[in-house]
Amino acid sequence: MVTLAQLRDTDLSSLTGAAGAYDTLAGAFGKHVQAMNTEVTKHVFNSQWVGTAAGAANASLQRTSGRLDAAHTEMSAVSELLREASESFQLAQSKLKEALQEAQGAGLTVAEDGTVSWPAPSQAERHDPDYDTPQRARALADRICHAVTEADGADQKIAKLLDDLTARARTGTGLDLTQAAADRKAVDELGTGLMAAGWPPAGAAPTEVNSWWKGLTPDAQQRLVQAHPDLLGMRDGIPATARDQANRLNLAHLIDTYEHKPNPSDDDKQKLDGFRAIRDKLNVQNGKQPPAFLLGVSEQGQGRGILSFGNPDTAKNVSAYVPGLGTKLSSVGGKDADRALNVWTAARIADSSAEVASMIWLGYDPPPGLEKVLDGDPRPLEVMSTDRAAKGGAAYDTFMAGLRATHEGAPAHLVALAHSYGSTTVGLGAQMPGGTGADDIILVGSPGTGADKASQLHIDPHHVWVGDAENDPVSHLPAKGRVATDVALGPVLGPVADDLYETFGPDNQLWFGQDPASKDFGANRFAVPDGKPLSLDSHSNYMNSSSDTATAESVNNIGQIVAGRYDAVTRQEGR
């Protein structure tokens, strides 16, 4: 049974050393196995030696080769088990020491059995409504108990498996390939279980994840970043600097994995293009202002990528931009990264005294773009569905809660910025319990949010902003007659709108509810250029560079909103 004193006082560095020693032993033994297979077994098998003696020799060599392979597997299993033990105990020890340090700083006393006590409250404290020492003591006692229990559970499981491996080494029963493979599988499964026991459960709130992270020592945090970058990098509630470090490690791993995939599919190639584009964007931004932070990357779905220009944990003004129709992973390192950078520049121009962080968030799978329609296919069924937006909206809400949890100092001015189908994603997320948690919501080129009123977005309607170009077809479909009369692409898109009108309703009903740019929706409409006719450019120009005089009004207004300078925003009448 692990005690508080043992967990607190034990020097765990010897476990790491033992794991390293077994690694060295397994590596050296592996070279002997390789030499045996190439210098002895291979030559005998290829010698064309025949006869009874040859058959017996071949059978004996096969048995010996199998026993050697099994022994190598068993050694590797022991080294991995010792490494898992070291990580598990150090993680539990880190949690314990952090809690003990907090208790000491609060003037509390921790007994050897984990009991927490405190001095009797003064007369003033008895009448102080904010006096919370008993509650803090109970919370610290729970943390101390959890750390010791976690270490004890790991100790029992590791000791049992280590005893089994030792017994098989002593009796020789581990020199069987089937048994060795089973032992290695048991070690891997135990490692996964120990790691899961020490981490916040899947679905834990970002505040819980952040509390767990802050309870670790810097050394423990760094070990986890190095050992499990794929698990930390996409976890909301982990600070931006740690996520960036973990995701850069994972990005290199993903690129290497996808570059060496045999017979890669088209999806594999598309993901690899995306990973490389993100890497290239990071390299281009290296040493420049603003610094880039890779807040997420994974191979899930079509691929995930979250890139921030500026540190969202320290910035005063923070925006998280959700792209829409037809967005691919490569856009995170391409045009959508440029859009996020343009927003950063516009917000800095609006208020040069405030630190800004501007992100591109691709944490969901957007549907295909309108190119299918323009190619003659009038059935954009995936665009019409809200399934992807609903899943994305839930993930976006959690991400935004993570930004709140990790921010340092006074709360940031947090802005949800969405384009095209991304506005449907943000809109549905905003209508979920708790909403996005943003101070302002900006929707551009929106096909609807799933809401009839801005007041349904869990935010004051005065802080919902809509930019909508008059020649943007996405923000007109399928309102009755609007595409045919107002948008130059009517000959192509008009029939789609006419077919869908009976389903979607009156003039200001778009794909997904009320037109956000309409007066009835109740949001602020800000001025944007109408865009060129006979083109989809008007749907793509909302976040062009402020140096582009033809389209600058849009991004400049977005920058003013991100900076919280509402009086400087150029307004436009709702439809």
Side-chain angles (χ1 to χ4, degrees):
M1 177 103 178
V2 174
T3 66
L4 184 154
Q6 288 174 328
L7 182 58
R8 178 191 63 206
D9 301 332
T10 300
D11 180 3
L12 297 170
S13 60
S14 58
L15 272 177
T16 304
Y22 259 94
D23 277 339
T24 301
L25 178 62
F29 191 80
K31 292 180 181 178
H32 289 303
V33 174
Q34 185 178 16
M36 174 71 178
N37 289 334
T38 57
E39 301 299 328
V40 179
T41 306
K42 179 181 177 181
H43 286 300
V44 172
F45 285 173
N46 294 335
S47 66
Q48 298 183 352
W49 182 21
V50 296
T52 302
N58 286 340
S60 177
L61 284 173
Q62 285 180 329
R63 286 193 299 272
T64 300
S65 179
R67 288 162 65 87
L68 289 172
D69 285 337
H72 183 242
T73 299
E74 291 281 296
M75 290 180 189
S76 299
V78 172
S79 66
E80 183 61 27
L81 181 59
L82 291 173
R83 185 172 293 102
E84 293 290 352
S86 175
E87 289 186 7
S88 297
F89 294 143
Q90 289 188 54
L91 189 57
Q93 188 183 68
S94 175
K95 294 177 182 178
L96 174 64
K97 288 185 174 180
E98 189 74 19
L100 293 175
Q101 186 176 0
E102 281 189 37
Q104 183 180 21
L108 306 177
T109 301
V110 181
E112 290 297 287
D113 65 354
T115 303
V116 180
S117 58
W118 59 95
S122 66
Q123 187 71 17
E125 288 173 331
R126 287 193 186 98
H127 296 88
D128 184 354
D130 295 326
Y131 177 70
D132 64 349
T133 297
Q135 294 92 326
R136 290 182 64 189
R138 283 191 287 271
L140 284 167
D142 288 343
R143 286 169 57 188
I144 290 167
C145 178
H146 180 78
V148 175
T149 302
E150 182 182 315
D152 184 60
D155 181 62
Q156 293 184 38
K157 293 174 183 177
I158 291 166
K160 172 65 170 63
L161 189 48
L162 195 56
D163 284 344
D164 291 345
L165 293 173
T166 302
R168 278 192 267 282
R170 186 183 302 112
T171 62
T173 54
L175 299 179
D176 175 79
L177 282 172
T178 301
Q179 182 61 62
D183 287 341
R184 181 59 202 236
K185 181 180 179 182
V187 169
D188 291 340
E189 290 177 347
L190 177 60
T192 301
L194 291 175
M195 182 182 62
W199 289 44
T207 50
E208 182 181 346
V209 174
N210 186 249
S211 179
W212 163 77
W213 180 258
K214 290 193 293 187
L216 306 176
T217 64
D219 285 345
Q221 292 173 351
Q222 190 57 220
R223 282 194 299 272
L224 289 178
V225 167
Q226 296 294 328
H228 305 291
D230 56 323
L231 300 180
L232 278 178
M234 289 293 287
R235 202 74 195 261
D236 298 315
I238 302 297
T241 52
R243 287 183 74 158
D244 177 61
Q245 186 182 2
N247 282 309
R248 287 175 189 252
L249 291 172
N250 195 38
L251 177 63
H253 169 72
L254 288 168
I255 291 174
D256 181 68
T257 298
Y258 276 77
E259 283 181 341
H260 293 91
K261 272 198 170 189
N263 303 314
S265 65
D266 288 342
D267 286 344
D268 291 336
K269 294 175 183 177
Q270 192 172 105
K271 287 180 183 178
L272 178 58
D273 288 343
F275 297 142
R276 285 171 170 168
I278 293 171
R279 177 196 60 192
D280 293 346
K281 178 60 71 174
L282 290 170
N283 289 340
V284 167
Q285 202 64 23
N286 187 36
K288 295 182 179 180
Q289 289 296 323
F293 292 79
L294 185 57
L295 301 185
V297 65
S298 85
E299 59 184 338
Q300 180 184 351
Q302 297 172 358
R304 303 284 186 263
I306 310 169
L307 186 61
S308 178
F309 295 98
N311 186 344
D313 290 346
T314 59
K316 177 182 176 182
N317 297 317
V318 178
S319 70
Y321 152 53
V322 182
L325 303 173
T327 303
K328 298 177 182 178
L329 183 60
S330 56
S331 296
V332 175
K335 64 181 181 181
D336 284 311
D338 294 337
R339 288 169 176 167
L341 188 54
N342 291 340
V343 170
W344 182 91
T345 301
R348 286 283 291 172
I349 292 172
D351 184 355
S352 60
S353 67
E355 186 180 347
V356 178
S358 176
M359 284 164 271
I360 159 65
W361 182 89
L362 185 63
Y364 80 121
D365 292 325
L370 287 178
E371 64 272 6
K372 289 187 176 182
V373 179
L374 299 181
D375 285 341
D377 182 357
R379 297 168 297 168
L381 297 180
E382 288 187 89
V383 176
M384 291 166 57
S385 169
T386 59
D387 290 348
R388 298 188 184 207
K391 292 177 182 177
Y396 184 73
D397 287 355
T398 303
F399 175 73
M400 296 289 272
L403 294 179
R404 289 293 193 198
T406 59
H407 195 268
E408 303 169 13
H413 174 231
L414 183 59
V415 177
L417 170 60
H419 174 233
S420 186
Y421 188 87
S423 66
T424 311
T425 300
V426 169
L428 292 178
Q431 294 172 74
M432 295 175 184
T436 64
D439 297 300
D440 287 280
I441 295 176
I442 306 174
L443 311 170
V444 292
S446 176
T449 63
D452 291 326
K453 299 286 185 180
S455 58
Q456 296 174 252
L457 303 182
H458 277 100
I459 191 173
D460 182 342
H462 292 96
H463 289 276
V464 179
W465 305 82
V466 178
D468 185 23
E470 286 303 322
N471 284 324
D472 184 344
V474 172
S475 60
H476 287 64
L477 281 169
K480 184 179 181 182
R482 190 185 295 174
V483 172
T485 58
D486 294 346
V487 178
L489 293 174
V492 177
L493 299 175
V496 180
D498 291 341
D499 290 343
L500 295 173
Y501 170 68
E502 293 301 326
T503 300
F504 286 90
D507 289 349
N508 284 326
Q509 289 292 308
L510 301 184
W511 295 99
F512 307 113
Q514 181 72 254
D515 178 4
S518 68
K519 292 179 180 178
D520 290 341
F521 190 73
N524 302 297
R525 188 180 182 190
F526 62 90
V528 302
D530 289 342
K532 295 187 297 185
L534 296 172
S535 170
L536 283 174
D537 286 352
S538 56
H539 185 62
S540 304
N541 292 343
Y542 293 101
M543 286 172 273
N544 281 6
S545 170
S546 56
S547 63
D548 185 344
T549 56
T551 59
E553 185 177 28
S554 178
V555 76
N556 287 340
N557 277 326
I558 292 172
Q560 299 289 358
I561 299 167
V562 171
R565 298 182 75 254
Y566 308 125
D567 291 344
V569 178
T570 307
R571 311 291 181 114
Q572 186 175 357
E573 282 292 317
R575 291 194 182 98

